[in-house]
């Protein structure tokens, strides 16, 4: 943003006035009220020498007055602000409006004067608001913001006295998700020799962390340590929180957090209770609750500050692990050291005990809370109600629910959801419907709440109840949608009740709920499992009528169905049709076809398809590689099988136990015991444990080679180890070997 000479109007006078005021020991506000009267005169905005004003020393300032006079209506407003420091006067015009009326440069000049006036009066909120107004308009207008800071901090002035502008500009940029601009201001200020306040640097650091800009976070923190301003305990706490939170896909970096804590202690700064609580929470997440408790006990011996926030993560961790008794001991330890638990401490314990079915202890803790004058939250009572519902104590849970209503608690959807599920699961449909009516009338449930209940009922196998809830959703608020119905369709299909699933599809259409691609795929899968493949073809026209184009998932499902029912001809026909219809087969569909070809000993045809996939840009996965290796091993072409095995390993696709099993079986068929034994050892070197199938292949191979003693040793090894040996083939082989031993 280019700044012309006219932009330096009046700020020199303003700072000189401020210096003069300081010499005469006037208060800022009094001085602005009296001395700003001088600026009301017209000569302030013309080219007359400033020396005519007796209070000011002589100074030569080059100005272009034409711009000011051309848009003179804006500056009387500025003068009124200078005179009165009245925020209402300053807000009579927004920066965007000023730009439309008077132009960008004139508006920027005027607002700059007001920014510095309020800054010198230490009216921070006003400065922040003005700067935000300028910044947001400039960003919206897609103008360059890089020159804004140098313009505001004109080098002709004593910039240190207006450092408040720097600090608040950093906060404006940071608080409005413009962290890179804030970093640029920080760098520009350092180059100009201005030191930002540590509070604005901390705010920038915090916003950078929230934006997940680890590169900037690290660089800014290192810059603060090397060139100032010196980091405070709050700076270190922000850094620790960044590494301990584990947000935005990052793991908790406990090593970095520990290093920062140790560095903080060496710096002479005293960690706060917030610093410790952040670190303790991270210890609970990635190490253990006991490690966090040990750390707390060490802090207590060193007389470091502790409160309930430090102990709560430990309580939560122990309860999460089902160690409620250990959690109670921690609570007693807190109280023994004079640290009073808060409502959250008790809520954690109530939830822990109620989830374990120890509702009496949960109820006792709530009574203890009331004795300590801590009001249990709705969350606390929700945990108790959940525990009672789980044990089937519906009357008691309902009594507590009604009691809370009388005490003035405002229910949320969670409490209703717990109770409704409880009554549904205990076959009290009548009261479940009553509560559902009540919930719909009192609150505004969304599809998510209903869908959660429908999904839960389907998971429990209560399909009639799920349909009942679906009807209620349609009756009360019309919230039933395709996703809701899909839960029930999927549940019916998993239970093998295809006819009911098809009836529900008709029901959906009758109620204006259109099936989607996922609905049809659920039905297709079930039809394929039942071998009703011709029926699947009938679904394609139905999909097209609903403007649902059959996609990759539908073709893959049908190809898999044909493969499982050994219908190679139709599977290949469908695979070829996919290409013509512009639906390129994926790895799943290709693997199915390649498996079928290999099982029919058409290995080289499968290999041709495999190579075509690679040419088209498909990266084979371990399943596809294993399919081809199995095919070549079955036909005895171990040279090709080993070449694929090596290619697989070189491309970073780790072989599985199944891959090794195929190769071992292939080498045994060629009577190559040496290579089969090498592969077993290689598998162990790669930390893959041979399973019962591997041992079965080895035993069969050894028996073919007449190595009966070695086969016996393997049987004993399996029986002595942790390998599950209930496999029928293995048991038959083991019995055969034992019988041979007895006969001999």
């Amino acid at each position: 943003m280019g700044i012309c000479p006219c932009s330096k109007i009046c700020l020199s006078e303003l700072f000189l006035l401020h210096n003069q005021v300081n010499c005469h020991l006037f208060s800022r506000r009094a001085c602005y009220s009296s001395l700003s009267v001088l600026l009301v005169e017209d000569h302030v905005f013309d080219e007359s020498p400033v020396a005519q004003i007796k209070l000011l020393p002589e100074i030569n300032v080059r100005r272009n007055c034409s711009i000011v006079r051309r848009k003179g209506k804006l500056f009387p407003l500025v003068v009124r602000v200078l005179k009165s420091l009245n925020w209402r006067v300053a807000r009579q015009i927004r920066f965007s409006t000023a730009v439309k009326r008077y132009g960008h440069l004139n508006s920027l000049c005027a607002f700059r004067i007001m920014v510095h006036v309020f800054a010198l009066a230490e009216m921070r909120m006003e400065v922040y608001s003005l700067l935000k107004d300028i910044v947001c308009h400039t960003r919206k207008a897609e103008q360059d913001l890089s020159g804004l800071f140098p313009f505001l901090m004109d080098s002709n002035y004593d910039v240190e006295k207006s450092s408040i502008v720097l600090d608040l500009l950093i906060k404006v940029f940071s608080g409005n998700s413009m962290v890179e601009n804030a970093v640029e201001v920080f760098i520009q200020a350092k180059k100009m020799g201005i030191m930002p306040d540590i509070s604005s640097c901390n705010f920038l650091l915090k916003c950078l962390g929230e934006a997940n800009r680890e590169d900037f976070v690290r660089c800014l923190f290192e810059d603060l340590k090397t060139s100032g301003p010196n980091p405070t305990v709050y700076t270190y706490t922000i850094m620790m929180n960044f590494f301990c939170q584990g947000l935005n896909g990052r793991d908790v970096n406990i090593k970095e957090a520990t290093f920062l804590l140790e560095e903080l202690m060496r710096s002479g700064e005293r960690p706060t209770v917030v610093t410790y609580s952040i670190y303790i929470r991270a210890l609970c997440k990635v190490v253990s609750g006991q490690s966090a408790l040990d750390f707390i006990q060490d802090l207590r011996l060193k007389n470091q500050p502790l409160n309930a926030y430090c102990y709560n993560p430990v309580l939560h961790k122990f309860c999460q692990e089902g160690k409620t008794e250990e959690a109670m001991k921690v609570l007693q330890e807190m109280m023994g050291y004079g640290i009073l638990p808060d409502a959250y401490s008790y809520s954690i314990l109530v939830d822990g005990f109620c989830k374990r079915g120890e509702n009496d202890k949960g109820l006792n803790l709530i009574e203890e809370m009331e004795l300590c004058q801590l009001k249990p939250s709705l969350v606390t009572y929700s945990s108790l109600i959940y525990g009672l519902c789980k044990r089937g104590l519906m009357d008691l849970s309902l009594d507590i629910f009604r009691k809370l209503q009388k005490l003035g608690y405002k229910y949320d959807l969670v409490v209703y959801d717990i109770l409704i599920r409880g009554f549904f699961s205990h076959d009290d449909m009548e009261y479940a419907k009553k509560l559902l009516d009540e919930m719909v009338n009192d609150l505004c449930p969304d599809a998510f709440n209903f869908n959660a209940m429908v999904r839960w009922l389907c998971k429990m196998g209560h399909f009639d109840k799920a349909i009942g809830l679906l009807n209620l959703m349609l009756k009360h608020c019309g919230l039933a949608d395709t996703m809701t119905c899909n839960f029930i369709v999927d549940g019916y299909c998993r239970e093998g009740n295809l006819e009911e699933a098809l009836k529900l599809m008709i029901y959906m259409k009758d109620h204006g709920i259109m099936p989607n691609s996922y609905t049809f795929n659920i039905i297709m899968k079930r039809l394929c499992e039942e071998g009703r493949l011709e029926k699947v073809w009938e679904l394609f026209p139905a999909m097209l009528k609903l403007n649902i184009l059959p996609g990759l998932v539908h073709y893959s499902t049908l190809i898999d169905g044909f493969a499982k029912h050994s219908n190679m001809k139709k599977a290949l026909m469908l695979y070829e049709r996919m290409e013509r219809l512009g639906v390129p087969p994926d790895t799943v569909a290709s693997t199915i076809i390649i498996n079928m070809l290999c099982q029919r000993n058409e290995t080289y045809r499968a290999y041709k398809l495999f190579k075509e996939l690679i040419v088209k840009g498909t990266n084979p996965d371990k399943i596809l590689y294993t399919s081809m290796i199995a095919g070549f091993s079955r036909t005895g072409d171990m040279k090709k099988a080993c070449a694929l095995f090596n290619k697989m390993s070189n491309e970073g696709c780790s072989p599985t136990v199944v891959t090794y099993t195929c190769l071992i079986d292939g080498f045994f068929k060629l009577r190559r015991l040496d290579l089969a034994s090498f592969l077993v050892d290689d598998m162990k070197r790669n930390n893959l444990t041979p399973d019962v199938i591997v041992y079965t292949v080895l035993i069969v191979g050894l028996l073919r080679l007449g190595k009966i003693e070695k086969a016996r040793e393997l049987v004993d090894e399996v029986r002595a180890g942790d390998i599950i040996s209930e496999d029928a083939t293995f048991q038959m082989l083991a019995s055969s070997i034992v019988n041979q031993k007895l006969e001999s």
Side-chain angles (χ1 to χ4, degrees), residues 90-231:
R91 286 289 80 184
Q92 283 180 13
I93 188 166
R94 295 282 177 178
F95 185 72
S96 55
T97 308
V99 170
K100 288 178 185 175
R101 293 181 187 174
Y102 309 111
H104 186 264
L105 185 57
N106 285 282
S107 303
L108 205 54
C109 292
F111 270 71
R112 182 176 72 162
I113 294 170
M114 290 193 288
V115 163
H116 280 276
V117 166
F118 285 120
L120 291 172
E122 295 187 3
M123 298 170 71
R124 291 174 175 270
M125 293 300 295
E126 289 80 356
V127 175
Y128 182 88
S129 183
L130 287 170
L131 290 173
K132 184 179 177 182
D133 202 4
I134 295 168
V135 166
C136 291
H137 171 78
T138 308
R139 177 172 64 172
K140 191 175 180 181
E142 297 182 353
Q143 293 176 334
D144 184 20
L145 287 159
S146 60
L148 186 61
F149 172 67
F151 174 68
L152 289 171
M153 306 298 289
D154 196 307
S155 59
N156 285 349
Y157 314 129
D158 185 359
V159 290
E160 290 184 7
K161 293 184 178 177
S162 292
S163 61
I164 186 173
V165 179
L166 159 66
D167 294 323
L168 292 174
L169 187 60
I170 288 174
K171 288 184 178 179
V172 167
F173 279 129
S174 303
N176 288 279
S177 303
M178 302 165 72
V179 288
E180 289 185 10
N181 296 97
V183 171
E184 187 179 3
V185 169
F186 175 84
I187 294 167
Q188 288 176 346
K190 286 290 190 75
K191 287 179 179 178
M192 293 171 66
I194 311 169
M195 186 68 74
D197 187 75
I198 189 61
S199 64
S200 59
C201 296
N202 286 341
F203 186 72
L204 172 57
L205 197 65
K206 176 176 172 286
C207 292
L208 285 168
E210 289 170 354
N212 200 30
R213 298 302 300 270
E214 185 172 347
D215 49 348
F216 279 129
V217 168
R218 289 182 181 274
C219 289
L220 178 59
F221 183 61
E222 289 303 318
D223 190 84
L224 292 176
K225 288 196 290 183
T226 54
S227 60
N230 291 329

Side-chain angles (χ1 to χ4, degrees), residues 651-662:
E651 291 184 357
C653 195
S654 303
T656 64
V657 173
V658 178
T659 317
Y660 278 103
T661 306
C662 296

Side-chain angles (χ1 to χ4, degrees), residues 69-80:
R69 285 180 174 170
R70 179 161 50 85
K71 301 293 183 181
K73 291 183 180 179
L74 180 59
F75 284 94
L77 178 70
V78 176
V79 170
R80 289 171 60 198

Side-chain angles (χ1 to χ4, degrees), residues 24 62 157 204 206 350 401 454 459 515 531 609:
H24 290 282
R62 294 180 60 193
Y157 314 129
L204 172 57
K206 176 176 172 286
V350 170
F401 180 78
V454 169
K459 188 178 178 181
L609 177 58

Side-chain angles (χ1 to χ4, degrees), residues 257-312:
T258 305
F259 175 79
L260 285 165
L261 184 60
E262 291 170 353
E263 188 177 275
L264 172 60
M265 291 173 171
R266 287 195 301 271
S267 71
E269 291 277 356
R270 184 181 174 87
T272 66
V273 70
V274 177
T275 316
Y276 286 131
S277 64
I278 288 169
Y279 184 70
I280 289 163
R281 188 169 64 244
L283 279 175
C284 288
K285 276 185 181 178
V286 298
V287 187
S288 67
Q290 187 58 50
S291 298
L293 184 59
D294 292 341
F295 179 74
I296 289 173
Q297 289 168 345
D298 185 57
L299 291 177
R300 184 180 54 77
L301 292 172
K302 294 176 181 177
N303 293 320
Q304 294 296 306
L306 292 168
N307 64 9
Y309 287 104
C310 297
Y311 280 93
N312 286 345

Side-chain angles (χ1 to χ4, degrees), residues 350-360 362-363 379-394 396-397 400 418-419 422 426:
V350 170
D351 185 61
F353 279 116
C354 291
K355 279 181 177 174
R356 287 172 59 85
E358 298 179 80
N359 301 304
D360 293 341
L363 197 56
V379 175
T380 315
Y381 279 113
S382 297
S383 298
L384 180 61
I385 290 169
Y386 172 81
L388 294 170
C389 289
K390 194 175 178 182
R391 289 186 60 190
L393 301 171
M394 300 311 301
L396 184 54
S397 63
I400 293 170
I418 291 168
L419 273 171
H426 291 92

